[in-house]
Amino acid sequence: MKKLISIALVVLMIFALATASASALNSPYTVGKYKVSVDVEGSGSVSGSKNSVDISDPDENGNITLTATDKDGYFTKWIIDGTYEIISGDLYSPELVIKPTSDVKAVASFSVEKDYLTITVKSTGDGSAAADPTKVKKGSGDTVTLTATEKNDPFIKWELACDYEIVDGSLTSKTLVIKPLTDVNVTAVFGSDNAGTTSAGTNTGSTSPATGDYSVMMIALVLMALGLGAFAVKKIKD
């Protein structure tokens, strides 16, 4: 009888241990940390807002901001070993926010020669402008969407200092899609759209008659009238 009781107790202990282990594995509050390390490839610097996050951290507490800063080289992209979720930015953004789901090693890669194009946007008048994205890889053929948002002034046109191809829209469209071929400096112009403003800043070659032109025309007409009058008088005398 004592032997049977001992066996039963051993079986109960094994069952209890198995149940506890299964419960711990299925718990959302797993104890531990995901480690995050950063490194550089090329000439530049890199930093992370944390070097680890608790595995059980919910939402933004489990996020890490990675920042790459150009020095003698130009930031190219992030090379990340491990599993993670991108919260904001992308692998070509110098500031990237991720949520690790394993240990992560993030390497900021820099190149000696700049292999990307930058898009710089500003505005004049009462309105705002934005570009998406603000950086594209050279030769990739990627497009950039420029968006103008009116406030108190109407949107007039885009002024671009760069080489580019228009993919969609025009220089007077609030939304313009371009394919940049060089770095882009673009200005969204807001203000009073009057008749004196040429569309998209393009000179069509046609101009309104100047005041001097009218004077010349009037003199010519007077001379023609005098000539006709003299001719008519001569005819009458004849």
Side-chain angles (χ1 to χ4, degrees):
M1 186 65 179
K2 289 182 179 180
K3 189 174 182 180
L4 289 174
I5 292 173
S6 299
I7 293 172
L9 289 172
V10 170
V11 171
L12 287 171
M13 289 176 64
I14 293 172
F15 179 78
L17 287 171
T19 302
S21 298
S23 178
L25 288 173
N26 294 326
S27 172
Y29 303 105
T30 306
V31 177
K33 290 179 178 290
Y34 292 136
K35 295 179 181 178
V36 178
S37 59
V38 294
D39 202 352
V40 296
E41 182 180 86
S43 184
S45 61
V46 63
S47 63
S49 58
K50 304 175 187 176
N51 56 20
S52 68
V53 293
D54 290 339
I55 293 174
S56 60
D57 267 355
D59 304 324
E60 69 275 5
N61 292 328
N63 297 345
I64 289 184
T65 301
L66 303 172
T67 305
T69 305
D70 292 346
K71 193 177 180 182
D72 296 327
Y74 299 95
F75 172 72
T76 302
K77 63 180 179 179
W78 293 101
I79 303 170
I80 303 180
D81 184 21
T83 58
Y84 56 94
E85 176 187 351
I86 292 180
I87 304 301
S88 68
D90 56 45
L91 294 179
Y92 298 95
S93 304
E95 184 172 285
L96 174 64
V97 181
I98 64 170
K99 182 180 179 69
T101 53
S102 73
D103 289 346
V104 167
K105 180 178 181 180
V107 177
S109 179
F110 296 86
S111 62
V112 175
E113 183 179 351
K114 192 173 82 167
D115 62 353
Y116 59 85
L117 305 175
T118 55
I119 294 84
T120 304
V121 184
K122 60 181 180 179
S123 62
T124 62
D126 195 3
S128 61
D132 182 30
T134 57
K135 181 187 289 186
V136 295
K137 191 174 179 63
K138 279 183 181 178
S140 65
D142 290 344
T143 60
V144 174
T145 300
L146 304 173
T147 305
T149 303
E150 295 177 341
K151 291 182 181 177
N152 293 321
D153 289 338
F155 173 72
I156 299 175
K157 63 181 178 180
W158 295 101
E159 293 181 345
L160 291 96
C162 62
D163 291 331
Y164 63 96
E165 296 175 8
I166 292 180
V167 177
D168 189 33
S170 69
L171 294 180
T172 55
S173 305
K174 293 179 186 177
T175 300
L176 173 63
V177 181
I178 64 169
K179 183 187 295 183
L181 306 176
T182 61
D183 287 341
V184 176
N185 284 285
V186 57
T187 302
V189 180
F190 298 86
S192 299
D193 192 5
N194 52 45
T197 303
T198 57
S199 175
T202 302
N203 186 354
T204 60
S206 60
T207 59
S208 301
T211 304
D213 296 336
Y214 285 116
S215 299
V216 173
M217 290 173 63
M218 290 300 295
I219 292 171
L221 288 172
V222 169
L223 291 174
M224 287 175 64
L226 291 172
L228 288 172
F231 181 78
V233 169
K234 184 178 179 183
K235 284 291 185 182
I236 292 171
K237 287 182 178 180
D238 293 341

